[in-house]
Amino acid sequence: MKQTKKRNMWLMLIVICLGGSIIYIFPYLQYTFYDSMMAELGFTNTQMGNVMSVYGALNLIAYFIGGMIADRFSSRILITFSLVVTGITGFWFATFPSYTAMMIISVIWSFTTIFTYWPATIKAVKLLGDSDVQGRLFGFREALNSFGALVFSSTAMFIFTRSGENFRNVVIFYSIVYIVTGIISFMFLPNDEAGEAEKRNIFSGLGYVLKNPLVWLIGFIIFFGYAVGSIMGRLTPYLTSVFKMGVATAGIVGIINSYGVGNVGAVAGGLITDKMKSSTRFLKWCFVIMAVLLAIFVAVPGVPSFLMAAIIMGLSVRLVQTAVRGVYFVPLDEAKIPAEYLGTAAGVVSVIGFAPDAFLFSVYGKIIDSMSEVAGYKVMFGSLIGFCAVGFVLTSILIRMFQKAEK
């Protein structure tokens, strides 16, 4: 009986991660195909940043309300809806619409990938197992997401190169995958309807969550860890613009940066977290390691002859950051958040944690446009060292609060 329950747990995780591996590819497609996407749309660096920022800004609202929605409705329905509708809008994206239309598409993606999807999937994973397997569940979730995204992205890159670098074919391919994955999710995910108490009041638990200082602290820790990952997503355009890497090669490095290293980092992060019995301690030392690696990365001269050094150091930072990302939400378990408030807590934490999407891309886009490319990128990546320092301080405070609560 116990073995069957464990087998079902991992099977459900795989189905959840199938959707997780594709859901964010469209909103963050410029991480891998930045130059091709900018050329096809005819946008500037600032406009590319603005498209990301409008998505990120609306996400702050979507995370907050979406968490309460997740506590009220079935994860199966929410996940299916999110995948199918995102895929449908992909066909509009494939027409390479105007700047205004692209902004509207970003608004739709904020609704489908965050409001109806994100808190629902976090809640679904959290409810799969007990406290002793949370690190592994979330770590493997991140790894399986990255592995699936790597498979899809590698296929997309194959289509891109074989079709003469036709970016439209890539968008159409992803649109189809979104819809098919949504259908699979509907067929295999269980119906986890909320209890009667939660159905009566959509704001159930909001007061509890907002008054909990641990929730706020966890949110800001995620904020600084996520900011590092978001900006390191710009490694590909950095390599093409400053180090003169070819578009096809940069696309491969972009896929490895966005998805490949996540397989190793997230699994390692989950296993180490369960071994240490504290995700917060693990996160604390990851901030230290990232700060050191970033200092070396920024020190690499911005000339083509140092291309390999830049790739190695950039991917090293990304490796540690994916380990951090894999266990972002495990501290919620250490904070002893009641199961009936998990969706709301995940939503509030996400509003704080993923706030960098609302402004960082626009800020750094303007910096790069206003300075020389080498100087602009150095400023952008160098600022992340300060983010890691703040993350280290916050995790140290959270550890003390957990220790105090145990006494």
Side-chain angles (χ1 to χ4, degrees), residues 247-314:
V247 175
T249 304
I252 295 173
V253 173
I255 290 174
I256 296 173
N257 180 46
S258 298
Y259 312 114
V261 294
N263 294 316
V264 178
V267 171
L271 293 175
I272 294 173
T273 290
D274 283 345
K275 187 77 172 178
M276 293 178 67
K277 306 295 183 183
S278 172
S279 60
T280 314
R281 286 195 182 90
F282 175 71
L283 291 170
K284 173 183 175 180
W285 293 112
C286 281
F287 278 118
V288 174
I289 296 172
M290 285 194 297
V292 173
L293 292 175
L294 279 164
I296 299 173
F297 176 62
V298 173
V300 175
V303 293
S305 59
F306 282 87
L307 171 62
M308 188 54 64
I311 293 175
I312 292 173
M313 294 313 303

Side-chain angles (χ1 to χ4, degrees), residues 189-389:
L189 289 180
N191 225 6
D192 58 341
E193 291 288 356
E196 290 302 318
E198 287 72 44
K199 286 182 178 180
R200 285 196 300 269
N201 182 7
I202 194 173
F203 295 100
S204 176
L206 181 59
Y208 170 88
V209 170
L210 291 178
K211 292 177 183 177
N212 191 329
L214 297 177
V215 171
W216 289 88
L217 196 51
I218 292 170
F220 280 110
I221 289 171
I222 294 176
F223 177 100
F224 290 102
Y226 180 74
V228 174
S230 292
I231 299 307
M232 288 309 298
R234 291 299 174 93
L235 177 64
T236 300
Y238 178 49
L239 296 176
T240 57
S241 300
V242 176
F243 294 89
K244 311 306 177 187
M245 177 182 283
V247 175
T249 304
I252 295 173
V253 173
I255 290 174
I256 296 173
N257 180 46
S258 298
Y259 312 114
V261 294
N263 294 316
V264 178
V267 171
L271 293 175
I272 294 173
T273 290
D274 283 345
K275 187 77 172 178
M276 293 178 67
K277 306 295 183 183
S278 172
S279 60
T280 314
R281 286 195 182 90
F282 175 71
L283 291 170
K284 173 183 175 180
W285 293 112
C286 281
F287 278 118
V288 174
I289 296 172
M290 285 194 297
V292 173
L293 292 175
L294 279 164
I296 299 173
F297 176 62
V298 173
V300 175
V303 293
S305 59
F306 282 87
L307 171 62
M308 188 54 64
I311 293 175
I312 292 173
M313 294 313 303
L315 292 179
S316 296
V317 175
R318 189 67 165 180
L319 177 66
V320 181
Q321 195 278 330
T322 56
V324 171
R325 190 175 66 191
V327 296
Y328 272 159
F329 290 87
V330 179
L332 286 175
D333 183 69
E334 295 180 52
K336 310 300 181 185
I337 304 297
E340 61 267 27
Y341 302 148
L342 282 175
T344 302
V348 172
V349 165
S350 297
V351 169
I352 303 169
F354 301 140
D357 277 349
F359 63 91
L360 278 189
F361 293 103
S362 290
V363 170
Y364 288 129
K366 291 179 180 178
I367 289 175
I368 294 173
D369 280 340
S370 64
M371 303 173 67
S372 69
E373 287 185 320
V374 175
Y377 277 111
K378 293 292 185 183
V379 170
M380 182 174 72
F381 291 123
S383 66
L384 301 184
I385 299 174
F387 290 0
C388 290

Side-chain angles (χ1 to χ4, degrees), residues 122-177:
I122 291 298
K123 176 186 176 183
V125 174
K126 178 68 179 68
L127 295 178
L128 287 178
D130 300 324
S131 297
D132 59 340
V133 294
Q134 288 297 304
R136 272 167 283 180
L137 281 174
F138 278 97
F140 275 92
R141 165 191 165 271
E142 189 64 39
L144 288 171
N145 283 351
S146 294
F147 177 75
L150 178 61
V151 172
F152 291 137
S153 296
S154 297
T155 304
M157 182 57 66
F158 175 78
I159 293 172
F160 180 68
T161 54
R162 290 297 295 268
S163 63
E165 300 187 353
N166 189 322
F167 182 60
R168 178 175 282 105
N169 289 344
V170 171
V171 178
I172 292 174
F173 163 73
Y174 280 135
S175 299
I176 295 172
V177 173

Side-chain angles (χ1 to χ4, degrees), residues 65 82 95 109 207 225 281 289 371:
I65 303 177
S82 302
T95 66
W109 285 344
R281 286 195 182 90
I289 296 172
M371 303 173 67

